[in-house]
Amino acid sequence: MIKSLPLSCIPVGARGIISAVNGDFKNKDRLSELGFTKDAEVMALHKSPNGDPAAYYIKGSVMALRREDADNILIKFREEY
């Protein structure tokens, strides 16, 4: 089953494709410069004990994002059971 969720909600080890980046222009521009663009593949690597920040693998790099930023990135991922 394919779901669309905020990046902050996917479990560690899950991969997905970015379907949209929301937020104000300044925030969207900064996320785009970090590689978080539509149709890019992203993987959740690690979350701190309280979940903020979290590390993601995207376009050959590891990026750490705060939850408030990751909430603005919607991804599609396959939920496997």
Side-chain angles (χ1 to χ4, degrees), residues 18-54:
I18 296 174
S19 59
V21 179
N22 300 322
D24 61 26
F25 178 75
K26 184 178 178 182
N27 189 41
K28 287 172 71 170
D29 193 39
R30 184 179 69 81
L31 291 171
S32 177
E33 289 174 356
L34 293 173
F36 293 92
T37 57
K38 187 174 179 179
D39 296 327
E41 184 177 32
V42 63
M43 178 179 175
L45 292 179
H46 179 75
K47 293 188 178 184
S48 64
N50 67 350
D52 194 18

Side-chain angles (χ1 to χ4, degrees), residues 67-80:
R67 181 180 299 246
E68 66 186 76
D69 291 327
D71 284 343
N72 288 318
I73 301 170
L74 297 179
I75 65 151
K76 296 180 285 188
F77 82 102
R78 183 173 302 276
E79 191 172 43
E80 298 178 20

Side-chain angles (χ1 to χ4, degrees), residues 8 10 35 62 71:
S8 60
I10 68 167
V62 176
D71 284 343

